Amino acid sequence: MAAVAHDVPGATPLPPGAPLPPARGLGRRLLNHRSALLGGAIVAAFVLIALLAPLLAPYDPIGDADLGRRLQPPSAEHWLGTDHQGRDVLSRILYGARISLRVGVMAMLMAAAVGTAWGALAGYYGGWFDLISGRLVDLMLAFPSILLAIAFAAFLGPSLENTMLAVALVSVPQYMRLVRGQVLSLREQDYVVAARAQGLSDARIIVRHILPNALAPLIVQATLGVGTAVLDAAALSFLGLGAQPPAPEWGRMLNDARTVFRVAPWNMTFPGLAIMLVVLGFNLLGDGLRDVLDPRARDD
């Protein structure tokens, strides 16, 4: 089997038998990359928050509603204040991390799975299938992704599960084009030609010899894709097409807070900061991974 190429989009893959950089070297470069380290720390912090939300949240994010304490400013009792129904904002943000991260990761996994399979088949076989696939992807990319997501979510109906599906559908073309480009550059490599001559099936050649060499840019795209999915899901929930009340989803919290922004700005400020930090974390981590997996960085 050919050596796996740790490359970036457009870079030349490693030739067969080329030595791979040691994992320790990759880890060292990742630890020395400040942006990646900061992004990874932010992502890890929010993952821990999501996992430990029941232990960290001082109140029930849904059941502890009390109109007598509605719209209270941040205080020692409620560190981030209360919302329009008297619920603790901090508790809702902590539990909201579970929802937003789950939506982002699941949407990315679905989009990556479909886009990778589609792009691999289109790039490997070419012909009419590649031509039709390319035109369909071009058509989808001609529209802003958020508009397509709104259209899909409106058609499917407002719910968290449909939000995941809508966000995944609009993300598929990015993975398809990335994988197709990688497969086009790899399918004529000597080791792929040799595998065909040995009588290996197309499926085995794609899975065992081609896709591993396209893994590095796919990892980078997937990391960046989680942040994009979190942002798109929050936008759909803000528009009323995503998570429904009383779910403590960050986009939904922004929607609930817009009518009281003048009197209780903390209701919108803190969920907005949570969204910003999560997206920033995944973007920094993705950019760092792109630099670390770049073959030109191996001699640093």
Side-chain angles (χ1 to χ4, degrees), residues 272-287:
L273 285 175
I275 296 171
M276 183 202 71
L277 287 174
V278 167
V279 175
L280 177 64
F282 279 106
N283 286 347
L284 290 176
L285 182 58
D287 288 341

Side-chain angles (χ1 to χ4, degrees), residues 155-233:
F155 175 77
L156 296 171
S159 72
L160 196 60
E161 291 74 18
N162 290 341
T163 295
M164 293 184 199
L165 184 57
V167 173
L169 287 173
V170 301
S171 302
V172 166
Q174 302 171 16
Y175 296 94
M176 185 276 182
R177 295 190 71 174
L178 173 64
V179 174
R180 174 185 174 274
Q182 292 294 310
V183 173
L184 284 174
S185 67
L186 293 170
R187 68 180 183 180
E188 301 303 330
Q189 294 291 318
D190 291 341
Y191 60 87
V192 176
V193 175
R196 289 198 198 100
Q198 293 175 7
L200 298 182
S201 66
D202 291 343
R204 185 178 179 86
I205 292 173
I206 292 173
V207 173
R208 296 292 301 276
H209 294 273
I210 294 181
L211 286 183
N213 286 281
L215 190 60
L218 190 59
I219 290 174
V220 174
Q221 178 60 45
T223 305
L224 297 171
V226 175
T228 302
V230 169
L231 189 61
D232 288 346

Side-chain angles (χ1 to χ4, degrees), residues 96 98-100 102-104 106-107 110 157-167 233-234 236-237 241-244 247-250 252:
R98 289 185 156 193
I99 299 176
S100 293
R102 179 164 62 93
V103 171
M106 292 302 298
M110 289 188 290
S159 72
L160 196 60
E161 291 74 18
N162 290 341
T163 295
M164 293 184 199
L165 184 57
V167 173
L236 292 178
S237 294
L241 297 172
Q244 299 300 299
E249 198 273 338
W250 294 336
R252 183 73 235 180

Side-chain angles (χ1 to χ4, degrees), residues 27-206:
R28 175 178 53 81
R29 286 199 298 273
L30 188 61
L31 291 175
N32 290 334
H33 196 290
R34 294 181 180 179
S35 295
L37 200 59
L38 177 59
I42 294 174
V43 171
F46 275 96
V47 170
L48 285 176
I49 287 173
L51 293 175
L52 301 178
L55 300 177
L56 298 176
Y59 298 93
D60 186 336
I62 297 175
D64 284 349
D66 183 358
L67 295 180
R69 62 185 186 191
R70 63 191 301 269
L71 302 181
Q72 291 183 0
S75 63
E77 184 179 3
H78 300 282
W79 289 4
L80 301 185
T82 60
D83 66 4
H84 64 294
Q85 292 189 10
R87 297 170 298 197
D88 184 65
V89 173
L90 174 60
S91 299
R92 290 178 62 78
I93 289 178
L94 294 176
Y95 274 89
R98 289 185 156 193
I99 299 176
S100 293
L101 290 179
R102 179 164 62 93
V103 171
V105 172
M106 292 302 298
M108 177 276 292
L109 290 176
M110 289 188 290
V114 175
T116 298
W118 187 10
L121 294 175
Y124 187 80
Y125 290 109
W128 64 268
F129 180 70
D130 184 32
L131 181 63
I132 294 176
S133 298
R135 300 294 78 77
L136 180 58
V137 167
D138 289 341
L139 179 63
M140 293 182 67
L141 292 176
F143 296 92
S145 60
I146 189 61
L147 291 182
L148 280 179
I150 290 172
F152 285 135
F155 175 77
L156 296 171
S159 72
L160 196 60
E161 291 74 18
N162 290 341
T163 295
M164 293 184 199
L165 184 57
V167 173
L169 287 173
V170 301
S171 302
V172 166
Q174 302 171 16
Y175 296 94
M176 185 276 182
R177 295 190 71 174
L178 173 64
V179 174
R180 174 185 174 274
Q182 292 294 310
V183 173
L184 284 174
S185 67
L186 293 170
R187 68 180 183 180
E188 301 303 330
Q189 294 291 318
D190 291 341
Y191 60 87
V192 176
V193 175
R196 289 198 198 100
Q198 293 175 7
L200 298 182
S201 66
D202 291 343
R204 185 178 179 86
I205 292 173
I206 292 173

